[in-house]
């Protein structure tokens, strides 16, 4: 790391630390979910009676947010737009970590920019909804607001770099590729990029300890992943077997 400025060295160290917290923190959470026994059969009815049906149900939950759609259409609109655009924005950013850039990642470039616009709008919509709708406000906590503000701020600073204070994309990619290849170089002297990167690192550290970890937790939800076959097969409590 010789030749790095103090600022660049600080950000390189912080990024590696944030990445370690994110990877190991998320892995620990998922491991905890995986080894936690499900003592009872508690699938939300009507539930599928076969493993294939459970797979279809899980796919419906993961890709279409079917339970949320049945529960509240207005929340589903904002929530679905938020998650889909967030995924596309993350996918678009792979171009900063890959060389050469795969064709499919390049194709995600222009749509990914507008996904960022929609992501900021969806975060704002969900935030206002938590404030304006009494029943949603009643069940909201500070963590719910913080996550929306953090992700909305990441989207906003990214859009500012795209449309107002344009960042040196070549320098940004060089810096990120240096981190990925463990050959760090000096970061671009761009205040907005520094703020954007700080927010992203904050999200990486916060993610494993927040409600956002439902991204992995949904796969282990017994109300969704259990087969409704308690009449055909006796369910044995894992710790009482």
């Amino acid at each position: 790391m010789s030749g790095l400025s103090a600022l660049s060295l600080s950000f390189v160290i912080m990024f590696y630390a944030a990445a370690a917290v994110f990877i190991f923190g998320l892995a620990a959470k998922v491991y905890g979910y995986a080894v936690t026994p499900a003592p009872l059969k508690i699938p939300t009815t009507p539930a599928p009676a076969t493993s294939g049906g459970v797979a279809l149900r899980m796919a419906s939950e993961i890709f279409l947010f079917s339970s949320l759609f049945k529960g509240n259409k207005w929340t589903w609109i904002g929530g679905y737009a938020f998650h889909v655009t967030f995924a596309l924005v993350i996918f678009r950013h792979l171009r900063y970590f890959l060389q050469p850039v795969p064709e499919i990642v390049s194709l995600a470039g222009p749509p990914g920019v507008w996904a960022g616009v929609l992501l900021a709008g969806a975060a704002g919509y969900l935030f206002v909804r938590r404030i304006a709708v009494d029943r949603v406000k009643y069940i909201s906590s500070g963590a719910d607001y913080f996550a929306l503000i953090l992700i909305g701020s990441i989207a906003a600073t990214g859009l500012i770099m795209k449309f107002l204070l344009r960042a040196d994309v070549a320098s940004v990619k060089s810096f990120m590729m240096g981190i990925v290849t463990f050959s760090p170089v000096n970061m671009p002297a761009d205040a907005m990029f520094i703020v954007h990167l700080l927010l992203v690192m904050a999200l990486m550290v916060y993610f494993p300890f927040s409600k956002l970890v439902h991204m992995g937790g949904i796969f282990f939800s017994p109300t969704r992943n259990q087969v409704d076959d308690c009449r055909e097969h006796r369910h044995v409590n894992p710790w009482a077997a």
Side-chain angles (χ1 to χ4, degrees):
M1 296 186 181
S2 60
L4 290 182
S5 67
L7 179 66
S8 299
L9 180 60
S10 299
F11 270 79
V12 168
I13 293 174
M14 285 193 294
F15 192 90
Y16 285 139
V21 171
F22 176 77
I23 294 171
F24 293 111
L26 186 59
K29 279 282 186 179
V30 171
Y31 176 76
Y33 293 144
V35 298
T36 299
L40 302 172
K41 276 282 187 179
I42 54 171
T44 302
T45 55
T50 64
S51 298
V54 169
L56 288 175
R57 182 185 202 181
M58 290 297 294
S60 174
E61 292 287 350
I62 293 167
F63 296 111
L64 300 175
F65 301 1
S66 54
S67 292
L68 184 60
F69 182 80
K70 295 172 185 173
N72 187 296
K73 303 294 188 294
W74 289 108
T75 303
W76 180 86
I77 291 172
Y80 196 76
F82 180 85
H83 285 80
V84 170
T85 55
F86 197 15
L88 183 54
V89 167
I90 293 173
F91 187 73
R92 176 183 182 273
H93 276 69
L94 290 178
R95 66 181 181 144
Y96 295 108
F97 301 93
L98 299 173
Q99 188 62 37
V101 179
E103 182 69 18
I104 189 170
V105 176
S106 298
L107 292 175
V113 173
W114 295 110
V117 176
L118 291 174
L119 174 61
Y125 170 81
L126 293 173
F127 185 87
V128 170
R129 209 171 142 65
R130 286 195 177 276
I131 295 175
V133 180
D134 286 341
R135 66 179 183 281
V136 181
K137 182 178 180 180
Y138 182 75
I139 61 173
S140 297
S141 66
D144 297 313
Y145 297 114
F146 177 74
L148 289 172
I149 292 173
L150 180 56
I151 295 174
S153 298
I154 291 172
T157 52
L159 293 172
I160 289 174
M161 284 193 293
K162 179 64 182 178
F163 295 111
L164 298 177
L165 306 174
R166 297 185 72 87
D168 183 345
V169 176
S171 297
V172 170
K173 173 153 186 170
S174 176
F175 177 67
M176 299 313 300
M177 285 297 300
I179 289 178
V180 172
T181 59
F182 299 101
S183 304
V185 299
N186 281 317
M187 68 187 307
D190 186 312
M192 192 51 62
F193 171 68
I194 291 174
V195 173
H196 186 69
L197 187 57
L198 278 173
L199 292 171
V200 171
M201 290 190 293
L203 178 63
M204 292 166 68
V205 172
Y206 177 67
F207 195 100
F209 310 102
S210 71
K211 294 180 180 179
L212 300 174
V213 81
H214 68 264
M215 178 187 76
I218 188 174
F219 296 97
F220 303 96
S221 172
T223 60
R224 296 289 181 275
N225 66 13
Q226 288 187 342
V227 177
D228 187 13
D229 60 352
C230 56
R231 295 173 187 79
E232 292 78 19
H233 304 284
R234 181 176 179 227
H235 179 72
V236 179
N237 186 334
W239 63 69

